[in-house]
Amino acid sequence: MLLHSLINVRFFAHLYFSTIIRLLLIVYGEIHDSYSEVPYTDIDYKVVVDGARGILNGSHGSPFDRHTFRYSPIYAFMQIPSVLLHPAVGKLIYSGFDIWVAVLIYRLVRDELRFQYSQAKKTDCLQSDNIKRPEIVAKASACFWLYNPLTAVISTRGNGDSFSSFIVILTLYMIMKAFRANEQRLSLLLIFYAGILHGLAIHLRLYPLFFSLAYYLALSERSNCQIADFIGKLIWPCKKQSLLVMGTVTSLAILTLLFYKLYGFKFLYEAYIYHLVRKDLRHNFSLYFLMQYLGSDTEELTSLQKLLVLMPQLIMIVFLTFAFGQFRQSLPFCIFSITFVMVTYNSVVTSQYFVWYLALLPLCFSNFKSIGIRTAVGYFSLWVLAQGLWLLPAYLLEFEGWNTFYWLWLQSILFFIVNNFLLIQLIKHFDFVTYKH
């Protein structure tokens, strides 16, 4: 009944209600921070706002004057209104991008299903007979994001991942739209725009770099079934692939050179290099957090340890890229699964990272035709339960001072197993009509 009620409401009404919810959460956060010792506002938000103050601090002001500012300076520039007007303005900006993510999800799913319906006489979207039309599937997909409490809370706490997620999905939207374009010139222009956006996405967050090969393969004229074909495409790319690379390199180079000229090597280290060598000794969801904590008094990890940590992640990313990155119909799922693997297998995993793949998951709903509503709710509940079981020892450790490190590690192992189980189920039930462009 709830699903039917949601899909019968106009999409604009969903945007309106979701905006009201986020505004109320922002107001609640301001009140909560005034009375509670445990703040609602994300500590990273305060760091970025301080970075904005650094920019306004004279002609040589830098956001990197703020200790632990390890983001793109773009985030600090976005927070200047929070310094000049009100501290909560930045939360409004992030929540706005949160809503725009849902708009992109709606448009991308709807347009892609319409195109697929025009290419095939019959394409099943979901198992339920009541959800067959592109408009309804797109609305249901967007509602998953709009009414997801995790994503709403994270953006209203002041986390900027809604902005980076918006850029990632906009990149994908441009690529998918280029496939549908009737005019060759328009298609090429959209691909170049996608490259520019992809460079921006990499600048904001390094993880979209791993999408590059999938985008590249999807733009090839035919599938690369053999290694020789793949090598040939790398050496002799088609026009679309060349434009994607040109756009990506151009935007990434311009942004990097610009901020390097403004802020020097400190920008390169804090915004890029730090995230490649980062060791987080605080408890987090990662399978490897206890190893890093116990080894905090020793030197860096050995080469063998680094290899054992990185290899499973890289092998799975390469496999998923070749398995799902060669077809436009499976490209959104490819990007989602790569992100899911990167987060699950990363040496540092926080709840904000979940936004990275939760923003991409709704783009794939129409391909899980054999997963019923009850099964989907069961999978999502299992994922939430695994988080809840981890949060209990985390709370006892951080706020009660209990020594729960090994209990916490066991829960991290359980969460890791649950995530792998869910990925296996999604791959098993994923389905699409096979055709190249």
Side-chain angles (χ1 to χ4, degrees), residues 136-313:
I136 297 176
V137 178
K139 194 183 299 183
S141 300
C143 284
F144 173 82
W145 174 265
L146 288 172
Y147 297 112
N148 190 322
L150 178 63
T151 58
V153 167
I154 286 179
S155 64
T156 55
R157 289 186 66 211
N159 182 273
D161 282 312
S162 59
F163 174 55
S164 58
S165 296
F166 171 80
I167 299 300
V168 168
I169 300 179
L170 184 58
T171 303
L172 189 58
Y173 177 78
M174 288 292 181
I175 292 176
M176 303 299 283
K177 190 173 182 179
F179 288 139
R180 299 189 299 268
N182 294 324
E183 297 181 9
Q184 177 74 2
R185 181 181 177 184
L186 176 60
S187 178
L188 295 176
L189 190 62
L190 289 170
I191 293 297
F192 183 70
Y193 289 160
I196 292 176
L197 289 168
H198 186 46
L200 173 59
I202 296 172
H203 169 76
L204 294 173
R205 289 286 193 180
L206 293 180
Y207 76 91
L209 177 66
F210 291 94
F211 306 158
S212 302
L213 181 58
Y215 291 155
Y216 188 88
L217 292 178
L219 292 173
S220 65
E221 301 296 338
R222 57 190 176 90
S223 60
N224 302 289
C225 300
Q226 299 179 357
I227 296 179
D229 294 334
F230 171 70
I231 295 176
K233 289 298 180 181
L234 287 179
I235 299 175
W236 302 105
C238 66
K239 187 178 295 186
K240 291 182 178 179
Q241 291 172 319
S242 299
L243 286 172
L244 178 73
V245 174
M246 287 174 56
T248 301
V249 173
T250 299
S251 63
L252 184 58
I254 289 175
L255 289 169
T256 302
L257 292 173
L258 172 64
F259 290 124
Y260 177 76
K261 185 172 181 59
L262 290 175
Y263 306 120
F265 179 78
K266 196 168 186 179
F267 151 70
L268 292 179
Y269 182 82
E270 299 291 357
Y272 293 151
I273 301 174
Y274 169 81
H275 297 284
L276 300 176
V277 299
R278 176 183 180 184
K279 284 179 62 177
D280 195 336
L281 304 181
R282 297 173 299 175
H283 57 281
N284 61 82
F285 288 93
S286 175
L287 182 68
Y288 309 108
F289 99 88
L290 186 62
M291 177 183 69
Q292 295 183 82
Y293 176 79
L294 294 176
S296 59
D297 295 331
T298 62
E299 296 296 327
E300 295 291 326
L301 296 177
T302 65
S303 299
L304 178 60
Q305 288 175 321
K306 291 180 179 179
L307 183 64
L308 292 175
V309 170
L310 290 175
M311 283 307 295
Q313 186 181 36

Side-chain angles (χ1 to χ4, degrees), residues 84-138:
L84 300 178
L85 301 176
H86 189 277
V89 173
K91 296 179 182 179
L92 292 173
I93 295 174
Y94 290 153
S95 296
F97 280 107
D98 202 16
I99 298 299
W100 276 105
V101 166
V103 174
L104 280 180
I105 291 172
Y106 174 79
R107 291 288 301 272
L108 196 153
V109 173
R110 185 197 63 183
D111 295 348
E112 182 61 17
L113 284 178
R114 285 178 176 175
F115 179 80
Q116 289 188 21
Y117 284 6
S118 69
Q119 300 296 311
K121 293 182 178 179
K122 184 177 181 181
T123 302
D124 293 331
C125 295
L126 296 175
Q127 193 174 22
S128 172
D129 292 334
N130 296 323
I131 306 179
K132 291 283 187 181
R133 300 193 303 273
E135 193 81 21
I136 297 176
V137 178

